[in-house]
Amino acid sequence: MNLKIANMHALFNPESVAVIGASDNPGKLGFHVMKSLSKGGYRGKIVPINPRAREIMGFTCYAGLDAFAGPIDLGIVVVPAKLVPGVFRECAAKGVKGIVLITAGFKEIEDPAGTALHAEIAAIADSAGIPVIGPNTFGMINFNRDLNASFTPEFSLLKNGTVALVSQSGGVSHLLAFLGMRLDVGFSKIVGLGNRLNVDFSEMLEYLDNDPDTRVIALYVEGIDEPNRLIHAAKRYACRKPIIAYKTGSAHVGDQASLSHTGSMAGRHEVYEGGFRQGGILTLSGSEQLLDTAKALAGCPLPEGPGVAILSGQAGPGMAGCDICEAEGLDIVRFSERTQAAINNLLPPLALRTNPVDMGPAWYDSAAITGIVKAVLEDDRVDAILLFMMFASANVNAVEQMSTLLKGWAQKKPLITCILSPPGIWDSQVKNLEDVGALVNYPSPERAAGAVGNLWKYRQLCTRREAPL
Amino acid sequence: MNLKIANMHALFNPESVAVIGASDNPGKLGFHVMKSLSKGGYRGKIVPINPRAREIMGFTCYAGLDAFAGPIDLGIVVVPAKLVPGVFRECAAKGVKGIVLITAGFKEIEDPAGTALHAEIAAIADSAGIPVIGPNTFGMINFNRDLNASFTPEFSLLKNGTVALVSQSGGVSHLLAFLGMRLDVGFSKIVGLGNRLNVDFSEMLEYLDNDPDTRVIALYVEGIDEPNRLIHAAKRYACRKPIIAYKTGSAHVGDQASLSHTGSMAGRHEVYEGGFRQGGILTLSGSEQLLDTAKALAGCPLPEGPGVAILSGQAGPGMAGCDICEAEGLDIVRFSERTQAAINNLLPPLALRTNPVDMGPAWYDSAAITGIVKAVLEDDRVDAILLFMMFASANVNAVEQMSTLLKGWAQKKPLITCILSPPGIWDSQVKNLEDVGALVNYPSPERAAGAVGNLWKYRQLCTRREAPL
C-alpha cells in the first residue's frame, strides 16, 4: 500500500485538524468550517490558522501551521487558490497526513492558470503522500468520529449509520443528505470528491472496502475522465459490500451545456451502465431511489430468492405493492400449506387470505394480525416480506401490539414496510423498530416494493458474477 | 337534475349531522366519528343517536332520529349491517338529504345475505333521492366546511386547498392524505367511495365539476364494474378542471387474489388507460406521482409549450433535472438573445450560462441570482421554469433575497422548484412562497421535473381533445 492510501485513515480519523483560512466572519467559508467542526461535536484538537486573528470561536488562532507546536493530521484549506501551493508546501513540511481542499478555481475554471495551479499542487501532494479531498468541494463528514469537515454545519444533524456516500457533486450531496434526514437514513461518511486532485472514486472504494463502519457504498457520478479506473476498482471490491450508483448526464443538452464531447454522452451513459454492471455496481435512476436502496441494503439481509409475501392492513396499498413487485420481476408466492392453514385459521372465510393478504377483517384482533405475520415470516417459500399499514385512530392498538412481535424478529429475511401516519404520530415507534433492525420503512408501498426489487436485483448481480459466464 | 344529485350539495355542506351509532367507547367506530366531527371544527349541529346514552362528548344524545326535533341534513351510519335498512327508512322519513354509510358487510362479503341487504338499502335510498357515500367506507371530509365525516380525526390535520381526492380504497385515501401532509398538498374534499351504493365516480365528477372549491380532481381507481360510466362522465366534464387518475391492478396476481375475472385484468388495465385518455383523464403511475401532479395542477398555470428553463444553484441537481426533462419530452430551450445577454452580464465567463444555468458562481451575489431568474421568467421561449436550490449555511442570504422577487412574481408561467434544506430550516419560508402562489415545491429535482412533464402532458391531452381528430 502506498503512502497516500495509508494516509487515508488519518484523513478520515484525525486526532487534530487545522483550518487554514479560519474566520469569524459569517461571509467567509472559513467561518462555516469552524462552526461545522466545533458544533459538530468533534473531540480532537481544532486549530484555526489565520495571521489576522488571535482567537476564533474560542479556539486559539495561529499565524501559520509552523506556529502550532503539536502535530496536525488533517488540514482543511479555504484560502484563495493562488495561496494554495504555499499552504500545501507548509502542510508537507508539517507532516500533515490528509487535506480537504475546499477552495475552487483550479482546473474547473478552464483557464490555463487554473490548470497549472492544479498540476503544481498535485505534484506537492503526491510527492508528500498526502491524499486530498477536492479541490472545489464542500468537504467531507465522518459521522463515526463526529468529524464535520465541511462548510455546512447542518450535515451534523444526520443520523450515524453505515451508508457511505461518495459524490461528484456538492449540490447532490446536500440533496441526498436532506432527503436522507426525511427518510431516516444513517450515514457513515459523506464525501464530496470535487475535482479529484488525487482521491477519486477508485481510491474511495479501496478505502471504504476496509472501513468497518461502512456497510453500503452509494456513489453519485456525473462524468469522469477515466470511468475504467472506477469500474476496475469496483470489480476488485464488488459484492464484498454493496456498491450502488446514480449517474446523471443522459440528457444531450446537459452534455452540451457541460462542454463535454457534444453528442457522445448518450453513448457514454450506456457504457457506464454496462461497466457498472460488470463491476457489480447496481445502477439506480434517481436520488430517492439511490437512498431507498441504500437504506434497504444497510438495514436488511439480501433475499435468497424472488419470493415475496404482501401483508396489508388495507387492500388498496397491497394492490399498489403487487403491481410494482410484478414489474420488478418478484414472485408473489403461493404460501406453503402450513402457512395458508394458519392464515385461514386467523382470518374470516371471505377475506383475501392468499397472497397478497388483506388483514383488514382482523383489524381489531391484534393476536390474529401478529399470528399472520409470524406464520409468513416462517414460510420457506417467502424470501422477503412487504408489510403495509396505514394509520387510522381506530386501528392504533392492533398495530402497537404487532410491534412486540417485530421487535423480537431476528431479521433472517428482509422485512420492508410502509407504516404511514400523520407526522408526529407513530414516527418514534417506527424509528425504534428501525433502530433495533426489525424492519426498514418507506413512505409509500410503491417505494417499499421497489426497494425489495432492488435488493433482489443486487443479489442476482452478485450471483451472476460468482457463476462462470 | 334528479333529486339525488340535487341532494349532493347538502350531503357535503350539511347544517346538521346525526351520527347513528355514536359511542363514547374508543373501541367503537361511532366514538372516532364523533371525535372527527367535534375536534375537526365542524360548526353545524352535531346530533349523536344511541338509545343507550344520554350524552356523548358533551352533545345531547337521542334514542332515534325522530326523537330530535330539528331537521337533519347528513346522517353518518355506523350501526351493524342488519340494522341499516331500518336506519335508512328512518332517515327517509326524517327527510335526511345525504348519508355516509361506514358500516361494512354488504355486497363485498360475497354472501347472498349481504347482496340482498345491499339491494334493499339501495332501493330505500334511491326512492328517497338520498345520495349515499359507502357502504364500507371510512367516510368523507369537506375541508372547506371543516366537516370531517370519517372515523379518522387526523384527516383534519390536512391543509385546506383545491384538490378533491375521490378514492375507491380507504387504505389508499389514508396513504395519500399522510403523504399529502408531508408534501403540503391542500385538499378541498377527500371521499372514500367504498362499495358505491348509489354514488360512484361518475356522480362525483358531476358534483365536483360544479364545486367552486375544487380546482383539480384526483381519482384512485382499483376496478369498477362499469368503467364506461366513469369514462363517459369524464368526457362530459374533461378539460374544464384537470382530472387525473392512479389505477392499480395491473398485476395478474392481484387480479386473481381479488377474485376478479382471472387473467383478464391486464387487458382491462389497458382498456382503462385508453378510456381515460379519451376521457381527458391523465393516468399516473404511483401515489406520489398522483399527489405531485395534483399539487402542480392546483398551484400553477399550464405551460403554453414544452420549453423549459433550468436554473440551479449547484450544477448536479440541474443535470438530474435535465435527464428527466429530456425523458419527459420537454425542450430545454435556447434562451433569447436578450435573456442570454442579461445572464452573460450577471455570471462570470467560465460559468455554465446557457440553459441549464449553473448559478453557483454567483452564489454570494443575490442581485445576480435575482437578475437571472427575472430575465428567464420574462423570456417568451420559456414556458416553465425549474429552479433548484440546495441549502448550505453559506448561501442562506442569497436565497432569502430571491424570495422577495418570487413573492412579486405574478405566476404567468409554472415556476416549479426543489428548494431543499434540513427539516425546520427554510420550511416556513418555502411554505409561505407556496401559499402566496409564487411557486410549487418538491423534495427532489427529479420529482419537480416530472411534475412539469405531467403539466405538459395534461396540456397536450386537452389540446388534442379540442382539435378535430
Side-chain angles (χ1 to χ4, degrees):
Chain A
M1 190 162 29
N2 68 29
L3 182 59
K4 185 180 84 185
I5 291 295
N7 277 337
M8 290 283 278
H9 181 78
L11 168 69
F12 285 105
N13 300 274
E15 300 298 328
S16 51
V17 181
V19 180
I20 299 133
S23 172
D24 50 11
N25 172 356
K28 300 279 185 188
L29 289 176
F31 170 88
H32 298 284
V33 172
M34 282 299 295
K35 200 172 155 196
S36 295
L37 275 175
S38 57
K39 303 286 181 197
Y42 176 61
R43 290 173 304 273
K45 179 90 187 158
I46 299 173
V47 183
I49 305 288
N50 183 335
R52 286 177 304 281
R54 298 178 61 181
E55 193 192 281
I56 293 175
M57 296 184 197
F59 297 91
T60 305
C61 191
Y62 297 84
L65 275 179
D66 51 356
F68 176 71
I72 293 291
D73 287 342
L74 170 63
I76 307 177
V77 180
V78 277
V79 298
K82 63 179 190 296
L83 303 179
V84 171
V87 168
F88 267 43
R89 281 188 203 97
E90 279 184 66
C91 286
K94 180 75 178 174
V96 166
K97 295 196 179 108
I99 289 176
V100 170
L101 178 54
I102 290 176
T103 309
F106 297 92
K107 210 169 63 176
E108 77 279 8
I109 62 167
E110 305 274 341
D111 179 314
T115 308
L117 265 182
H118 186 103
E120 185 180 358
I121 60 174
I124 301 166
D126 285 344
S127 73
I130 300 176
V132 178
I133 303 291
N136 193 17
T137 177
F138 63 91
M140 61 85 170
I141 305 96
N142 180 359
F143 292 90
N144 299 94
R145 294 295 296 252
D146 298 317
L147 172 71
N148 184 345
S150 86
F151 60 60
T152 301
E154 291 76 13
F155 279 118
S156 298
L157 299 170
L158 277 160
K159 194 170 88 167
N160 193 325
T162 59
V163 175
L165 170 66
V166 183
S167 167
Q168 216 180 328
S169 156
V172 172
S173 300
H174 284 72
L175 166 70
L176 291 169
F178 304 148
L179 283 177
M181 287 182 194
R182 287 162 175 82
L183 193 64
D184 208 36
V185 178
F187 290 91
S188 60
K189 290 170 180 67
I190 295 181
V191 181
L193 291 181
N195 289 337
R196 294 155 287 133
L197 190 78
N198 67 7
V199 174
D200 206 334
F201 285 105
S202 47
E203 284 80 11
M204 284 307 305
L205 287 184
E206 183 172 354
Y207 175 68
L208 292 171
D209 179 59
N210 277 308
D211 176 21
D213 298 326
T214 295
R215 195 166 155 179
V216 177
I217 302 169
L219 312 178
Y220 171 72
V221 183
E222 270 173 19
I224 43 184
D225 298 334
E226 302 172 86
N228 283 336
R229 281 195 69 222
L230 163 56
I231 292 160
H232 280 298
K235 277 186 184 165
R236 213 173 312 134
Y237 307 111
C239 298
R240 289 155 55 146
K241 311 184 176 182
I243 308 174
I244 60 178
Y246 171 34
K247 163 91 178 65
T248 59
S250 67
H252 288 268
V253 66
D255 186 28
Q256 289 162 8
S258 69
L259 307 175
S260 300
H261 300 167
T262 307
S264 65
M265 185 62 104
R268 283 184 63 201
H269 196 72
E270 280 151 30
V271 169
Y272 274 103
E273 282 204 9
F276 283 180
R277 197 164 44 240
Q278 285 171 36
I281 301 176
L282 182 65
T283 304
L284 299 164
S285 57
S287 48
E288 288 184 325
Q289 209 191 21
L290 184 77
L291 284 177
D292 285 356
T293 308
K295 185 178 180 181
L297 287 163
C300 280
L302 290 177
E304 305 253 313
V308 175
I310 299 181
L311 308 179
S312 189
Q314 294 105 335
M319 288 187 65
C322 278
D323 287 0
I324 302 290
C325 285
E326 200 163 290
E328 293 278 327
L330 296 166
D331 180 16
I332 300 163
V333 293
R334 191 187 174 96
F335 294 132
S336 74
E337 282 182 31
R338 186 176 155 180
T339 307
Q340 193 60 62
I343 296 173
N344 291 353
N345 227 4
L346 293 164
L347 281 179
L350 294 162
L352 298 180
R353 304 191 292 189
T354 53
N355 199 4
V357 181
D358 176 6
M359 304 190 296
W363 213 215
Y364 303 101
D365 179 355
S366 47
I369 300 267
T370 310
I372 295 164
V373 174
K374 189 161 181 291
V376 169
L377 289 170
E378 288 168 357
D379 188 329
D380 284 343
R381 297 185 188 178
V382 174
D383 300 303
I385 296 108
L386 280 164
L387 175 64
F388 304 139
M389 298 189 292
M390 302 303 128
F391 166 93
S393 277
N395 66 24
V396 165
N397 288 341
V399 176
E400 291 198 336
Q401 277 187 255
M402 182 149 52
S403 294
T404 313
L405 166 74
L406 296 181
K407 272 195 183 131
W409 167 244
Q411 221 206 38
K412 286 167 194 150
K413 295 171 187 176
L415 175 56
I416 305 267
T417 64
C418 170
I419 304 178
L420 199 68
S421 56
I425 299 178
W426 276 4
D427 294 3
S428 60
Q429 288 96 318
V430 174
K431 274 190 190 173
N432 286 344
L433 289 169
E434 285 198 323
D435 288 345
V436 299
L439 54 81
V440 179
N441 196 54
Y442 292 92
S444 78
E446 296 96 333
R447 284 171 65 179
V452 176
N454 282 326
L455 286 179
W456 175 235
K457 275 192 195 127
Y458 177 73
R459 168 79 192 210
Q460 286 176 290
L461 190 68
C462 286
T463 309
R464 274 199 294 269
R465 277 177 53 84
E466 284 156 19
L469 288 174
Chain B
M1 190 162 30
N2 68 30
L3 182 60
K4 186 180 84 184
I5 291 296
N7 277 336
M8 292 281 280
H9 181 78
L11 168 70
F12 285 105
N13 298 275
E15 299 298 329
S16 51
V17 182
V19 179
I20 298 133
S23 173
D24 50 11
N25 173 356
K28 300 282 185 185
L29 289 177
F31 170 87
H32 298 285
V33 172
M34 282 298 296
K35 200 171 155 196
S36 295
L37 275 176
S38 57
K39 303 286 181 196
Y42 175 61
R43 291 173 305 271
K45 179 89 186 158
I46 299 174
V47 182
I49 306 286
N50 184 333
R52 287 179 302 282
R54 295 179 60 181
E55 192 191 284
I56 293 176
M57 297 184 196
F59 298 91
T60 305
C61 190
Y62 297 83
L65 275 180
D66 51 356
F68 176 70
I72 294 291
D73 287 342
L74 170 63
I76 308 177
V77 180
V78 279
V79 298
K82 64 177 189 295
L83 303 180
V84 170
V87 167
F88 267 44
R89 280 187 204 99
E90 279 184 65
C91 286
K94 180 73 178 173
V96 165
K97 297 198 179 106
I99 290 176
V100 170
L101 178 55
I102 289 177
T103 310
F106 296 92
K107 210 168 63 176
E108 79 280 8
I109 64 167
E110 305 274 343
D111 179 313
T115 308
L117 266 183
H118 187 101
E120 186 181 356
I121 60 173
I124 302 167
D126 285 344
S127 72
I130 300 176
V132 178
I133 304 291
N136 193 19
T137 177
F138 62 91
M140 61 84 167
I141 305 96
N142 179 359
F143 293 89
N144 298 93
R145 293 294 296 251
D146 297 318
L147 172 71
N148 184 344
S150 86
F151 61 61
T152 300
E154 291 75 12
F155 279 118
S156 298
L157 299 170
L158 278 159
K159 193 170 88 168
N160 193 327
T162 59
V163 175
L165 170 65
V166 182
S167 167
Q168 218 181 329
S169 156
V172 172
S173 301
H174 284 73
L175 166 69
L176 292 169
F178 304 149
L179 283 177
M181 287 182 196
R182 287 162 175 82
L183 193 64
D184 208 34
V185 178
F187 290 91
S188 59
K189 290 171 181 65
I190 296 181
V191 180
L193 290 182
N195 288 338
R196 295 156 285 134
L197 190 79
N198 67 7
V199 174
D200 206 334
F201 285 105
S202 47
E203 283 80 12
M204 285 306 307
L205 287 184
E206 184 173 352
Y207 175 69
L208 293 171
D209 179 59
N210 277 308
D211 176 22
D213 298 327
T214 295
R215 192 165 158 179
V216 177
I217 302 168
L219 311 179
Y220 171 72
V221 182
E222 272 174 16
I224 42 184
D225 298 334
E226 301 171 86
N228 283 336
R229 281 193 68 221
L230 162 56
I231 291 159
H232 280 296
K235 277 187 184 165
R236 212 170 314 134
Y237 307 112
C239 299
R240 286 157 55 148
K241 310 183 175 182
I243 309 174
I244 59 178
Y246 171 34
K247 163 91 179 64
T248 59
S250 67
H252 289 270
V253 66
D255 186 27
Q256 287 161 12
S258 70
L259 306 176
S260 301
H261 298 167
T262 308
S264 65
M265 186 59 107
R268 282 184 62 203
H269 197 71
E270 282 151 28
V271 169
Y272 275 102
E273 283 204 8
F276 284 180
R277 197 164 43 243
Q278 286 171 34
I281 301 176
L282 182 66
T283 304
L284 300 164
S285 57
S287 48
E288 287 184 325
Q289 211 191 19
L290 184 75
L291 284 177
D292 285 358
T293 308
K295 185 178 179 180
L297 287 164
C300 280
L302 291 177
E304 305 253 314
V308 175
I310 300 181
L311 308 180
S312 189
Q314 294 104 336
M319 287 187 66
C322 279
D323 287 1
I324 301 291
C325 284
E326 199 161 291
E328 293 279 326
L330 296 166
D331 180 16
I332 300 164
V333 292
R334 190 190 177 96
F335 294 132
S336 74
E337 282 183 31
R338 187 176 156 181
T339 307
Q340 193 59 61
I343 297 172
N344 291 353
N345 227 6
L346 294 163
L347 281 179
L350 294 163
L352 297 181
R353 304 191 291 189
T354 53
N355 197 5
V357 181
D358 176 6
M359 304 189 297
W363 213 215
Y364 302 101
D365 179 355
S366 46
I369 300 266
T370 309
I372 295 164
V373 174
K374 189 161 181 293
V376 169
L377 287 171
E378 288 168 358
D379 188 329
D380 284 343
R381 296 185 187 179
V382 173
D383 300 304
I385 296 109
L386 281 163
L387 174 64
F388 304 140
M389 299 190 291
M390 301 304 129
F391 167 93
S393 278
N395 66 25
V396 165
N397 288 341
V399 175
E400 292 198 335
Q401 277 187 254
M402 184 149 49
S403 293
T404 313
L405 167 72
L406 295 181
K407 271 196 184 128
W409 167 241
Q411 221 205 38
K412 286 170 196 150
K413 297 172 186 176
L415 175 57
I416 306 268
T417 65
C418 171
I419 304 178
L420 199 68
S421 56
I425 299 178
W426 276 2
D427 293 4
S428 61
Q429 288 96 320
V430 173
K431 274 189 191 176
N432 286 345
L433 287 169
E434 284 198 323
D435 288 344
V436 299
L439 53 81
V440 178
N441 197 54
Y442 292 92
S444 77
E446 296 95 332
R447 284 172 65 179
V452 176
N454 282 326
L455 285 180
W456 175 234
K457 275 192 194 126
Y458 178 73
R459 167 81 193 208
Q460 288 175 290
L461 190 67
C462 287
T463 309
R464 275 199 296 269
R465 277 179 52 85
E466 285 156 19
L469 289 172

